[in-house]
């Protein structure tokens, strides 16, 4: 039916709406920047989970009443929030001024630079102790209130041993990905406050809000409470766990994941298909899988080799179990045993049963984003 409105006119209307949206987003950005200033002045955390949940719930309800898809509105809101967190990074509140000066050992590395930048944004005096500063080590460490070790796992023991005695009130901390051995090393070196941290993120994050940092207590926790408070002000999620349990969890979460991804990446590299050919005929879920495999190989080979080697002896049993599981599955396939495959699927499904609905919803959103970002020639 011809209602007198042509496609060009409708598109002009859409363009006008989009222009209004951009203006509104600019206005919202200015407001969130002001919020960041107030948080910096008052010492409030960048992340307010209750406020975030209330805002999303209210806008979803409003969308429902307006005939708009609530999931669309939530996607837009979360993307705007992420942008707001990034915009609020330039100046951050200082939760523990008594921590100054801070010395980052290995501060010229990627993670060391990340922490140095964030501490400086909060107004702390930060000193770097790396190879170029070795001749002035005593001067760099003079009066330090927090010494943060940010070096490769296999270098930690030697680096810590080379440090001079620290003041009794100085906090000694590390950010390596295993915790039992480093924590023991730090406590043997220093009689004062000690804490082990494991940031569950890499140096390429755009902001710290909702980033997980595992905390393993060492000695005199009240002395490093300000340090942990500062991480909270940056918006980090702190997870306190025993060092032994942390390392056991990391054997699965990190080491086994890295190993299997590493092997799969090497397997792909030996095939006759180019990466471009595989991507061209991939579903969004396989695109995401390729991205995660490719992400590993975009990182430092030394870092990931150290992570895998550091706990190899501890994961030999897990590797044997993984190999047995793979071999058992292969045996079912060889025999054409569909019933056994269904039973095995059901066993694994039971493990994920408490989170399947959540995982389906979250993965659907990721898949949609992967498909949206597809570049067509």
């Amino acid at each position: 039916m011809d209602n007198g409105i042509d496609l060009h006119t409708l598109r002009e209307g859409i363009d006008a709406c989009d222009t209004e949206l951009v203006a509104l987003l600019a206005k919202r950005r200015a407001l969130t920047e002001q919020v960041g200033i107030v948080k910096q002045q008052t010492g409030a955390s960048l992340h307010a989970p209750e406020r975030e949940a209330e805002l999303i719930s209210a806008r979803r309800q409003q969308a429902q009443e307006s005939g708009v898809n609530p999931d669309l509105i939530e996607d837009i809101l979360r993307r705007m929030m992420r942008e707001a967190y990034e915009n609020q990074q330039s100046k951050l509140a200082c939760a523990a001024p008594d921590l100054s000066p801070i010395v980052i050992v290995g501060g010229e590395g990627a993670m060391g630079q990340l922490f140095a930048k964030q501490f400086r944004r909060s107004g702390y005096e930060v000193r770097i102790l790396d190879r170029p500063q070795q001749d002035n080590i005593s001067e760099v460490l003079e009066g330090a209130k927090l010494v943060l070790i940010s070096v490769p796992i296999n270098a930690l023991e030697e680096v810590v041993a080379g440090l001079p005695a620290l003041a009794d009130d100085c906090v000694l901390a590390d950010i390596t990905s295993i915790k039992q051995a480093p924590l023991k090393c730090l406590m043997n070196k220093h009689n004062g406050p000690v804490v082990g941290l494991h940031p569950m993120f890499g140096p390429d994050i755009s902001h710290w809000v909702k980033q997980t940092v595992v905390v393993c207590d060492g000695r005199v926790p009240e002395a490093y409470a300000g340090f942990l408070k500062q991480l909270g002000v940056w918006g980090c999620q702190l997870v306190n766990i025993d060092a032994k349990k942390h390392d056991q969890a990391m054997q699965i979460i990190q080491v086994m994941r890295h190993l299997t991804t590493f092997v799969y990446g090497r397997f792909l590299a030996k095939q006759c298909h180019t990466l471009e050919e595989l991507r061209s005929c991939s579903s969004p879920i396989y695109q995401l899988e390729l991205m995660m495999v490719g992400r590993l190989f975009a990182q430092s080979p030394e870092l990931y080799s150290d992570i895998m080697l550091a706990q190899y002896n501890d994961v030999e049993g897990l590797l044997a179990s993984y190999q047995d599981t793979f071999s058992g599955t292969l045996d079912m396939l060889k025999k054409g045993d569909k019933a056994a495959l269904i039973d095995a699927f059901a066993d694994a499904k039971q493990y994920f049963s408490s989170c399947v609905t959540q995982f389906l919803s979250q993965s659907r959103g990721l898949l949609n984003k992967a498909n949206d970002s597809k570049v067509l020639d």
Side-chain angles (χ1 to χ4, degrees):
M1 175 188 277
D2 184 4
N3 57 10
I5 303 177
D6 61 18
L7 185 59
H8 177 72
T9 302
L10 292 171
R11 284 175 171 168
E12 284 185 335
I14 291 173
D15 290 345
C17 287
D18 291 346
T19 300
E20 291 180 38
L21 279 173
V22 172
L24 282 172
L25 289 172
K27 181 178 180 181
R28 192 183 194 280
R29 172 175 176 146
L31 290 168
T32 58
E33 287 177 346
Q34 292 298 311
V35 168
I37 292 172
V38 173
K39 287 180 178 179
Q40 188 264 336
Q41 293 172 343
T42 61
S45 172
L46 283 185
H47 186 218
E50 298 84 4
R51 159 70 178 166
E52 181 178 298
E54 290 170 3
L55 189 152
I56 289 174
S57 177
R59 296 293 86 80
R60 285 186 66 94
Q61 180 64 33
Q62 184 181 356
Q64 190 79 43
E65 294 168 356
S66 302
V68 177
N69 185 344
D71 291 341
L72 169 64
I73 297 304
E74 182 171 344
D75 282 350
I76 293 171
L77 282 172
R78 291 196 181 280
R79 180 63 186 88
M80 289 192 300
M81 289 174 182
R82 187 163 73 250
E83 184 76 13
Y85 293 140
E86 292 176 19
N87 295 335
Q88 292 171 0
Q89 293 292 306
S90 58
K91 279 193 174 182
L92 301 166
C94 180
D98 291 345
L99 282 180
S100 278
I102 295 169
V103 175
I104 300 181
V105 181
E108 294 192 359
M111 286 298 288
Q113 290 181 47
L114 180 72
F115 271 84
K117 184 177 183 180
Q118 197 73 351
F119 276 123
R120 286 173 177 143
R121 284 169 166 173
S122 288
Y124 293 96
E125 177 191 347
V126 178
R127 303 173 188 169
I128 301 301
L129 179 57
D130 218 311
R131 288 186 178 87
Q133 296 84 26
Q134 282 299 313
D135 291 340
N136 301 315
I137 186 169
S138 296
E139 181 181 340
V140 174
L141 287 167
E142 184 178 359
K145 298 300 182 183
L146 168 63
V147 174
L148 185 65
I149 311 296
S150 176
V151 299
I153 299 167
N154 60 0
L156 182 134
E157 188 173 342
E158 180 182 354
V159 168
V160 170
L163 295 175
L166 303 174
D168 290 342
D169 62 347
C170 177
V171 176
L172 181 60
D174 81 293
I175 55 171
T176 54
S177 60
I178 58 175
K179 293 271 70 80
Q180 287 184 93
L183 201 53
K184 182 179 179 181
C185 176
L186 266 59
M187 293 181 72
N188 287 339
K189 174 67 182 182
H190 182 47
N191 293 325
V194 171
V195 61
L197 304 178
H198 182 190
M200 300 301 296
F201 52 86
D204 59 344
I205 58 170
S206 56
H207 63 78
W208 292 58
V209 176
K210 301 183 185 180
Q211 301 290 349
T212 298
V213 178
V214 178
V215 180
C216 296
D217 289 318
R219 184 189 295 124
V220 198
E222 61 273 16
Y224 54 78
F227 181 21
L228 302 186
K229 183 179 179 181
Q230 184 62 67
L231 293 171
V233 165
W234 293 340
C236 294
Q237 177 191 16
L238 303 183
V239 178
N240 199 285
I241 190 172
D242 173 75
K244 182 177 180 179
K245 286 192 173 183
H246 165 275
D247 288 357
Q248 290 171 341
M250 287 307 111
Q251 288 167 11
I252 297 174
I253 295 171
Q254 259 197 346
V255 182
M256 288 296 296
R257 184 66 262 166
H258 292 332
L259 281 169
T260 52
T261 303
F262 178 70
V263 171
Y264 188 56
R266 292 189 65 219
F267 166 78
L268 290 178
K270 295 178 180 179
Q271 305 312 302
C272 62
H273 302 288
T274 66
L275 183 59
E276 289 72 23
E277 288 171 337
L278 290 177
R279 293 184 66 191
S280 68
C281 54
S282 293
S283 63
I285 194 166
Y286 191 63
Q287 287 274 358
L288 279 175
E289 196 165 311
L290 283 174
M291 288 179 201
M292 297 313 295
V293 175
R295 179 180 173 82
L296 177 81
F297 291 99
Q299 312 298 321
S300 162
E302 290 81 10
L303 170 64
Y304 283 92
S305 296
D306 286 344
I307 290 173
M308 290 187 286
L309 288 169
Q311 294 201 67
Y312 173 73
N313 292 332
D314 298 325
V315 298
E316 281 191 90
L318 288 174
L319 285 170
S321 176
Y322 187 89
Q323 191 171 22
D324 288 345
T325 305
F326 190 94
S327 298
T329 304
L330 188 60
D331 190 53
M332 295 177 208
L333 292 172
K334 287 180 178 178
K335 293 177 179 177
D337 194 341
K338 184 176 179 179
L341 286 167
I342 290 173
D343 288 342
F345 188 97
D347 288 342
K349 183 177 180 179
Q350 181 62 34
Y351 177 82
F352 290 95
S353 60
S354 62
C355 295
V356 288
T357 302
Q358 179 186 4
F359 287 171
L360 272 174
S361 175
Q362 291 175 334
S363 61
R364 189 179 299 116
L366 290 172
L367 293 175
N368 286 337
K369 288 181 176 66
N371 198 48
D372 291 344
S373 64
K374 187 183 295 181
V375 178
L376 302 179
D377 294 330

